[in-house]
Amino acid sequence: MTNPHSSSFSELEFRFFPHENFRPHQREGIESIFNSVKVGNILLLDSPTGTGKSAMVLCGVLEAMSNNEKLVVITRTHSQYKIFIQEFMRVKRKHDNLKFGLLVGRSNVCPMHVGYETCGFLRKNSLSQIKDGTDWYSEGEIIKYRKTVSDKPKSAICPYFINCFQRNQTTPLFDGEAGTLINNQLNKPQTPEKFNKLCMDRKYPKCPYELMKSTLSSCDVMLLHYHYLIDPGVRDAVISSRWLGCGFENIHLVVDEAHNLAPYIQDICSLEFSKEDVLNAIKLVEKGELHGVEYSLNPLKGNIGDIVVLLDDLNLFLEHWFSNKSKSELLGGLIEDVIPEKQMFKASDRSLEYLNLATNLVKTQFNKRKKSREIPDEIPVPGIVNISKTLKQISRQTEDRFIKTIRIKPLSKSVGKTLDGKINIADYGISLRMIDIDPRDAVKYLSDSFKSLTLISGTLTPTELYRKLLFYDGIEVKEMSIPSPFPPENRLMLCCKDVTSLRRYRDNEENISNVKKCMEGLFAADGNIAVFFTSYGLKDRYLSYVQDLSHKTGKGVMDENRGIDKHKFIEEYKKHGNAALLAVCRGNFSEGVDFIGGAMNAVAVIGLPLAPWNMKQKKVNRYYERIFGPDVGEEIAYYLPAVTAAVQALGRCIRSPHEKGILVLGDSRYCSEAATGAKRLLPRWMQDEMQVVYSKEIESLIKQKIDGWGSLSEQNEIIPSIKTDYKDDFKRADTLINQNTETAHTIISCLEHLQINVGRILLADILSGSKSKKISGLNLAGSLHYGSSKKYSRGQIVNMIDQLIEKDYLGVKRSNSIYHRPTLSVTDKGKEAIRNGEEIQLELPVENKEEKITLSEPEEILYGELKLFRKRAALEKNLPFYCIFDNKTLQRIAKARPRDYEELLKLKGIGKAKLKAYGDEIIEIMDRGKRAKTYSVDEIEDRIVSEAAKTKTYSVDEIRGTYPSAYEKWTKEEEEKLINEFDSTLSPSEIADLHGRKRGAIRVRLRRLDLID
Ligand code: SF4
């Protein structure tokens, strides 16, 4: 790629900024990222919804990075992929040579629906088949073939994988059809779903995962799921296979949704094995067999029994734990308890030692076989190695940052839903885990390995606490918090001071009644609403009450259950348009789901979603309190994750600056400044705008606010799904910069983006979305700004262009065309204004073409009379008609039928001078209109013609002596010619001469063409 990168902050030119306007504070965000990336620093950036994070990241990093470097963004949710791809495509319009790579987890796209291990075998076998020479597989053959894969996975091949290669060649992939798919994805990336479809919709369907992976080495910007760089096992595979095309030291890493980084690290980096692993390990040890390869456990001969006893003990221990759980606990979902060590299992040191020895043997032989390619690279080390490693850590790690737990989790969503409701151990996954609760080592690895590290999220407040949570003291981390860019007047932020989810008040009658009032209040909002609870249990307690409310109000109820199909549910909710969603914080809908376009008009979070106060949480609290002191420690360990979860849930409502919405925090702790309160952890704008109220006040406050706005559903246009059409998405106004600055920026940017020279009219036509032949002939309807100023007429836009020329934002160049048509250019001042998001004062048209006056038949007749009067007056004074009155003013008069001067003067277009000159005659016409014989519209037309004939001083022939084309019909071609001339420097008289018509006739035609008022 060419190097348009800025070399120092003073040279930052926002060349990679994909929009014409900056959102509020977006520029500062870009500068912070640029400054940090340029010197390889660490940045913690709190950037709320609406600040344009993706554009910020792309612009800031791309401006700072050098040619041999890459930008890698890691994210957790799929909705981020779409947004990021859209922004990338906008940047690519300016820098076409940029390339994009994307990789999601194999399980999301593998058409064979096989696991990691089986895929490894299929690929290995396929490669040998390719070497031996094989044909591609058509869809029909694949269907026949796939039946055999499940029978003999270890000796089967993957037809989708084979189809990725040229016949008889194992490298490279960048040829043929696969190469085309890869190159298209690099240049015009598609979401994983669309790319998957593209790979499948072919005669010889191909593996989307393999092709996506192949884009990574050649791209400049890539988007990966967290696990590729955070899960140590996967990361090692990424490094060793050099998928990324360069070392980490040349990569600028951006972690999106960074508020999730700590829990993700805790989850992914914990050591864990399941009961299933133990059973497999028992088989493995007893048989001495692994993946069809004999493992000699000879050095342990005679001691295998000890290992089996240990594993049996472990198995019994896990089962015993399960059997002690009550049915309601098990049906509640995931249970995680800390294990008191003495209760764990009766393992002798000797058996642990043998297990260790056995796994070392397995590991060594396994790796040897991998090296000699007997086992594919993709096959993970056997479970027994993991068991041994975890047990070793469990017995050795005594530091309080390591917590040993046992987890019981239903394997399927329908567990416990059977009619008999029986609990079966086989339906549950039981596992032993050792969690390292401190994420700082894992984050340090990222900051040490990558060239720069940027952590960004919409909920990283207070950044100071996140810094403490994620980084060791002494590591230099820059922090930045961007304020919410959404207008405060578009939201109502309430906090209910007489509601709580504190356990001791859950059964309190008054609290229950207040929660109900709080929800009843929320039901006052029209359209879709949502109530998030702290747990499924709490939600279920209020379900029947919400159903009653629903009967009374006619609002539908949609209840989030564990077994729901998330995507279908969301689509139904969006389509419903008047439903109450009952959901839970940290559930399916509280994060990573975009309810844009008024798909959610009001939201309440009932309670503070603190983690269960169990042994595990107590240990976590104790650990952080030891490190940071009691207050800060408790905040980091306990309150920060809860407030972040609540803020995330609230953030589902109001997703753009134009949306309005109601936000309710239903717990007194959110408005408490006390040590046990959570107010100080909320984003600044929430703290500032929050109205602390009683639950009984909520309904009236919401109604009052909505009355002021009008209906919420009408205000917030519902957009059923996230758009992938970049142009439409662009057109959605996404800036708060005042309207005249925005319009000025749009005009300048439109001109800047055009590849051809244009004059005022053509530029106005593009902006107004004209469907003229010229626009279609030059293929301008597809240009970026086409139709972006639709609400203005061509003449109004021309007027604004003239203002920009006058203010030196646009320049005029003469061309050599026959009409001396000048073309426009953007001046340095104009470029500077766009880059810096400068305010531009532009006089916006007062009247736009939306104003339509519809006249009834009698009014039409009056209008005709008024036109006749105007004609007479114009001929008398030898003035063009519009100098007397324009059509709109006459229509207004006909519509209003003023009875006296006072009423006439109230009308737009009538000033004192016009009143003095024509007032009497108009009032006379109005009076006549009341008494008069009514003429039909046709009769009026006839009268106009005859009146004209009467008042005409010269015959047409005589007039044509001077003006050869006078009274001739205008042709399309002549009109086009006139448009070009109007856009030139020719005077009206010169234009009239060129057409052989009167100056007045030219003016009239220009008005008809909407070029002058
Ligand atoms: S190679 Fe691709 S299609 Fe084949 S099993 Fe692996 S991921 Fe699935």
Side-chain angles (χ1 to χ4, degrees), residues 570-583:
I570 292 173
E571 280 314 310
E572 270 172 36
Y573 175 71
K574 285 179 179 175
K575 260 191 237 148
H576 193 295
N578 190 28
L581 167 69
L582 290 199

Side-chain angles (χ1 to χ4, degrees), residues 874-913:
L875 289 169
E876 258 168 38
K877 298 190 175 174
N878 200 21
L879 285 172
F881 294 173
Y882 63 88
C883 286
I884 310 296
F885 284 114
D886 62 22
N887 286 350
K888 274 269 150 57
T889 309
L890 293 186
Q891 284 168 355
R892 273 186 222 114
I893 297 171
K895 187 97 203 154
R897 301 193 201 185
R899 285 163 301 181
D900 49 32
Y901 270 27
E902 208 181 320
E903 285 184 9
L904 191 56
L905 201 54
K906 280 184 193 160
L907 298 177
K908 197 171 162 190
I910 311 271
K912 283 189 180 152

Side-chain angles (χ1 to χ4, degrees), residues 106 109-115 118-120 122-123 158-161 206-210:
R106 184 193 311 250
V109 286
C110 170
M112 296 290 279
H113 306 294
V114 296
T118 311
C119 168
L122 303 186
R123 286 160 55 95
C158 174
Y160 298 101
F161 184 71
K206 299 176 176 31
C207 167
Y209 180 77
E210 197 57 36

Side-chain angles (χ1 to χ4, degrees), residues 75-113:
T75 184
R76 263 194 64 215
T77 50
H78 266 228
S79 62
Q80 293 307 105
Y81 286 93
K82 292 182 184 168
I83 296 166
F84 204 82
I85 290 174
Q86 282 177 8
E87 290 299 315
F88 174 82
M89 285 309 290
R90 291 191 179 112
V91 177
K92 200 171 156 61
R93 284 197 196 108
K94 287 183 166 181
H95 303 276
D96 191 40
N97 45 359
L98 278 176
K99 302 222 177 323
F100 188 88
L102 168 77
L103 190 63
V104 292
R106 184 193 311 250
S107 59
N108 292 305
V109 286
C110 170
M112 296 290 279
H113 306 294

Side-chain angles (χ1 to χ4, degrees), residues 408-423:
I408 301 173
K409 193 178 166 190
L411 290 174
S412 96
K413 288 164 183 166
S414 57
V415 167
K417 299 260 159 79
T418 50
L419 283 179
D420 59 4
K422 273 185 191 155
I423 300 289

